[in-house]
Amino acid sequence: MKDFILEVGRDFTFIDEEFKVQVGGEDYKIDLLFFHRGLQCLVAFELKVGKFKPEYISKMDFYLEALDRQKKKENENPSAGMILCASKDDEVVEYAMSRTLSPMMVAEYQLQLPDKNILQKKLQELINMPLLEDDE
């Protein structure tokens, strides 16, 4: 999976797999951790072999908060997350993510890779996604 992500976007730099963060005296492992040069942020990937579950969102939020508090450099942007699942129901994803503030995506993976141009286009869409602004 690491090689696939590096192939999709050359701006990704691999940091580690099963990257450990410690919170409250317990170790937690992020499946894959990258740094994205263009976005200037850490990107955590969680890999799920089954269907998307809403609890994956809170787990990713937890990991992103740990990364931002413990690993993010002062000059870097807030960490982003990507949850890759075997399948997903768009309505369940929408409900699960409706109140989250962290930049995160949920995507289905396929055993046969889609065309590289399609993957690059989707990554570019993610990079150009507008940030949420406060109404205050």
Side-chain angles (χ1 to χ4, degrees), residues 8-42:
V8 170
R10 290 291 176 198
D11 274 354
F12 281 107
T13 302
F14 177 70
I15 295 176
D16 203 359
E17 59 186 75
E18 294 190 354
F19 184 83
K20 290 181 186 173
V21 291
Q22 190 175 73
V23 178
E26 290 189 48
D27 288 335
Y28 297 89
K29 295 178 184 176
I30 300 169
D31 289 339
L32 296 170
L33 185 63
F34 291 82
F35 184 82
H36 193 279
R37 293 177 55 215
L39 298 174
Q40 287 294 297
C41 70
L42 295 167

Side-chain angles (χ1 to χ4, degrees), residues 57 91-101 132:
I57 299 291
E91 187 175 16
V92 173
V93 172
E94 180 185 340
Y95 273 59
M97 293 184 65
S98 66
R99 295 181 185 245
T100 186
L101 299 176
L132 297 175

Side-chain angles (χ1 to χ4, degrees), residues 15-77:
I15 295 176
D16 203 359
E17 59 186 75
E18 294 190 354
F19 184 83
K20 290 181 186 173
V21 291
Q22 190 175 73
V23 178
E26 290 189 48
D27 288 335
Y28 297 89
K29 295 178 184 176
I30 300 169
D31 289 339
L32 296 170
L33 185 63
F34 291 82
F35 184 82
H36 193 279
R37 293 177 55 215
L39 298 174
Q40 287 294 297
C41 70
L42 295 167
V43 182
F45 282 81
E46 278 294 295
L47 312 174
K48 304 299 181 187
V49 295
K51 189 173 183 177
F52 171 79
K53 295 179 183 176
E55 53 264 31
Y56 297 161
I57 299 291
S58 60
K59 184 177 181 183
M60 180 60 81
D61 278 335
F62 177 81
Y63 288 158
L64 297 177
E65 187 65 25
L67 288 171
D68 284 351
R69 288 187 189 198
Q70 299 174 14
K71 305 298 178 184
K72 180 178 90 67
K73 305 273 190 227
E74 193 172 307
N75 63 316
E76 295 172 355
N77 292 316

